[in-house]
Coordinates of all heavy atoms in Angstrom, one line a residue:
G51 N -122.8 45.5 148.1 CA -123.4 44.9 147.0 C -122.3 44.6 145.9 O -121.1 44.7 146.1
S52 N -122.9 44.1 144.8 CA -122.0 43.6 143.7 C -121.2 44.7 143.1 O -120.1 44.4 142.4 CB -122.8 42.9 142.6 OG -123.8 43.8 142.1
G53 N -121.5 46.0 143.2 CA -120.8 47.0 142.6 C -119.7 47.6 143.5 O -118.9 48.5 143.0
A54 N -119.5 47.1 144.7 CA -118.5 47.6 145.6 C -117.1 47.2 145.1 O -116.9 46.1 144.6 CB -118.7 47.0 147.0
W55 N -116.2 48.1 145.3 CA -114.8 47.9 144.9 C -114.1 47.3 146.1 O -113.7 47.9 147.0 CB -114.1 49.2 144.5 CG -112.6 49.1 144.1 CD1 -111.6 48.9 144.9 CD2 -112.1 49.1 142.8 NE1 -110.4 48.8 144.2 CE2 -110.7 48.9 142.9 CE3 -112.7 49.2 141.5 CZ2 -109.9 48.9 141.8 CZ3 -111.9 49.1 140.4 CH2 -110.5 49.0 140.5
I56 N -113.9 45.9 146.0 CA -113.2 45.2 147.1 C -112.1 44.4 146.5 O -112.3 43.6 145.6 CB -114.2 44.2 147.8 CG1 -115.5 45.0 148.2 CG2 -113.6 43.5 148.9 CD1 -115.3 45.9 149.3
E57 N -110.9 44.6 147.0 CA -109.7 43.8 146.6 C -109.8 42.4 146.9 O -110.4 42.0 148.0 CB -108.4 44.4 147.2 CG -108.0 45.7 146.6 CD -106.6 46.0 147.0 OE1 -105.7 45.2 146.8 OE2 -106.4 47.1 147.6
G58 N -109.3 41.5 146.1 CA -109.3 40.1 146.4 C -108.5 39.8 147.6 O -108.8 38.9 148.4
D59 N -107.4 40.6 147.9 CA -106.6 40.4 149.1 C -107.5 40.7 150.4 O -107.3 40.0 151.4 CB -105.4 41.3 149.1 CG -104.3 40.8 148.2 OD1 -104.4 39.6 147.8 OD2 -103.3 41.6 148.0
A60 N -108.4 41.6 150.3 CA -109.3 41.9 151.4 C -110.2 40.8 151.7 O -110.5 40.4 152.8 CB -110.0 43.2 151.2
E61 N -110.7 40.2 150.6 CA -111.6 39.0 150.7 C -110.9 37.9 151.4 O -111.4 37.1 152.2 CB -112.2 38.6 149.4 CG -113.3 39.6 148.9 CD -114.6 39.4 149.6 OE1 -114.7 38.5 150.5 OE2 -115.5 40.2 149.3
R62 N -109.6 37.7 150.9 CA -108.8 36.6 151.5 C -108.5 36.8 153.0 O -108.5 35.8 153.8 CB -107.5 36.4 150.7 CG -107.7 35.7 149.4 CD -106.4 35.4 148.7 NE -105.8 36.6 148.1 CZ -106.1 37.1 146.9 NH1 -107.0 36.5 146.2 NH2 -105.5 38.2 146.4
Q63 N -108.3 38.1 153.3 CA -108.1 38.3 154.8 C -109.3 38.1 155.6 O -109.2 37.6 156.7 CB -107.6 39.8 154.9 CG -106.2 40.0 154.5 CD -105.7 41.4 154.8 OE1 -106.5 42.4 155.0 NE2 -104.4 41.6 154.8
L64 N -110.5 38.3 155.0 CA -111.8 38.0 155.7 C -111.8 36.5 156.0 O -112.1 36.1 157.1 CB -113.0 38.4 154.9 CG -113.3 39.9 154.8 CD1 -114.5 40.1 153.9 CD2 -113.6 40.5 156.2
T65 N -111.5 35.7 155.0 CA -111.6 34.3 155.1 C -110.6 33.8 156.2 O -110.8 32.9 157.0 CB -111.3 33.6 153.8 OG1 -112.2 34.0 152.8 CG2 -111.4 32.1 153.9
Q66 N -109.3 34.4 156.1 CA -108.3 34.0 157.1 C -108.7 34.4 158.5 O -108.5 33.6 159.5 CB -107.0 34.7 156.7 CG -106.4 34.1 155.5 CD -105.3 35.1 154.9 OE1 -105.0 36.1 155.5 NE2 -104.7 34.7 153.8
T67 N -109.4 35.5 158.7 CA -109.8 36.0 160.0 C -110.8 35.0 160.6 O -110.8 34.7 161.8 CB -110.5 37.3 159.9 OG1 -109.5 38.3 159.4 CG2 -111.0 37.8 161.2
L68 N -111.7 34.4 159.8 CA -112.6 33.4 160.3 C -111.9 32.1 160.9 O -112.6 31.4 161.6 CB -113.6 33.0 159.2 CG -114.7 34.0 158.8 CD1 -115.4 33.6 157.5 CD2 -115.7 34.1 160.0
T69 N -110.7 31.9 160.4 CA -110.0 30.7 160.9 C -109.2 30.9 162.2 O -108.7 30.0 162.8 CB -109.0 30.2 159.8 OG1 -108.0 31.1 159.7 CG2 -109.7 30.0 158.5
R70 N -109.2 32.2 162.7 CA -108.5 32.5 163.9 C -109.2 31.8 165.1 O -110.4 31.7 165.1 CB -108.4 34.0 164.2 CG -107.4 34.7 163.3 CD -107.4 36.2 163.5 NE -106.4 36.9 162.8 CZ -105.2 37.2 163.2 NH1 -104.8 36.9 164.4 NH2 -104.4 37.9 162.4
P71 N -108.4 31.3 166.1 CA -109.1 30.7 167.2 C -110.1 31.5 167.9 O -109.8 32.7 168.3 CB -107.9 30.3 168.1 CG -106.8 31.2 167.7 CD -107.0 31.4 166.2
G72 N -111.3 31.0 168.1 CA -112.3 31.7 168.9 C -113.2 32.7 168.1 O -114.2 33.2 168.7
V73 N -112.8 32.9 166.8 CA -113.6 33.9 166.1 C -115.0 33.3 165.8 O -115.2 32.2 165.3 CB -112.9 34.3 164.7 CG1 -113.9 35.1 163.8 CG2 -111.7 35.1 165.0
Q74 N -116.0 34.1 166.2 CA -117.4 33.7 166.0 C -118.2 34.4 164.9 O -119.1 33.8 164.3 CB -118.2 34.0 167.4 CG -117.6 33.3 168.5 CD -118.1 33.9 169.9 OE1 -118.1 35.1 170.1 NE2 -118.5 33.0 170.7
A75 N -117.9 35.7 164.6 CA -118.6 36.4 163.6 C -117.7 37.5 163.1 O -116.9 38.1 163.8 CB -119.9 37.0 164.2
V76 N -117.9 37.9 161.8 CA -117.2 39.0 161.2 C -118.2 39.8 160.4 O -119.1 39.2 159.6 CB -116.1 38.4 160.2 CG1 -115.4 39.6 159.5 CG2 -115.1 37.6 161.0
A77 N -118.2 41.1 160.5 CA -119.0 42.0 159.7 C -118.1 42.8 158.8 O -117.1 43.4 159.4 CB -119.9 42.9 160.6
A78 N -118.3 42.8 157.5 CA -117.4 43.5 156.6 C -118.3 44.6 155.9 O -119.4 44.4 155.5 CB -116.9 42.6 155.5
F79 N -117.7 45.8 155.8 CA -118.4 47.0 155.3 C -117.8 47.4 154.0 O -116.7 47.0 153.6 CB -118.3 48.1 156.4 CG -119.0 47.6 157.7 CD1 -118.2 47.2 158.7 CD2 -120.3 47.6 157.8 CE1 -118.7 46.7 159.9 CE2 -120.9 47.1 159.0 CZ -120.1 46.7 160.0
P80 N -118.5 48.3 153.3 CA -118.1 48.7 151.9 C -116.8 49.4 151.8 O -116.3 49.6 150.7 CB -119.3 49.5 151.4 CG -120.0 50.0 152.6 CD -119.8 48.9 153.6
D81 N -116.2 49.9 152.9 CA -114.9 50.5 152.8 C -113.8 49.5 153.0 O -112.6 49.9 153.2 CB -114.8 51.6 153.9 CG -115.1 51.2 155.3 OD1 -115.8 50.1 155.5 OD2 -114.7 51.8 156.3
L82 N -114.1 48.2 153.0 CA -113.2 47.2 153.2 C -112.0 47.3 152.3 O -112.1 47.4 151.1 CB -113.9 45.8 153.0 CG -113.0 44.6 153.4 CD1 -113.0 44.4 154.9 CD2 -113.6 43.3 152.7
H83 N -110.8 47.1 152.9 CA -109.5 47.0 152.1 C -108.5 46.3 152.9 O -108.6 46.1 154.1 CB -109.0 48.4 151.7 CG -108.8 49.4 152.8 ND1 -109.8 50.1 153.4 CD2 -107.6 49.7 153.4 CE1 -109.3 50.8 154.3 NE2 -108.0 50.7 154.4
P84 N -107.4 45.8 152.3 CA -106.4 45.0 153.0 C -105.6 45.8 154.0 O -105.3 47.0 153.7 CB -105.5 44.5 151.9 CG -106.2 44.7 150.6 CD -107.1 45.9 150.8
G85 N -105.3 45.2 155.1 CA -104.5 45.8 156.1 C -103.2 45.0 156.3 O -103.0 44.0 155.6

Side-chain angles (χ1 to χ4, degrees):
S52 60
W55 180 281
I56 307 293
E57 284 191 59
D59 283 349
E61 286 286 357
R62 283 187 285 275
Q63 286 185 342
L64 285 179
T65 303
Q66 292 165 0
T67 298
L68 283 168
T69 67
R70 286 177 176 266
V73 169
Q74 301 165 310
V76 178
F79 301 99
D81 55 340
L82 187 77
H83 58 280

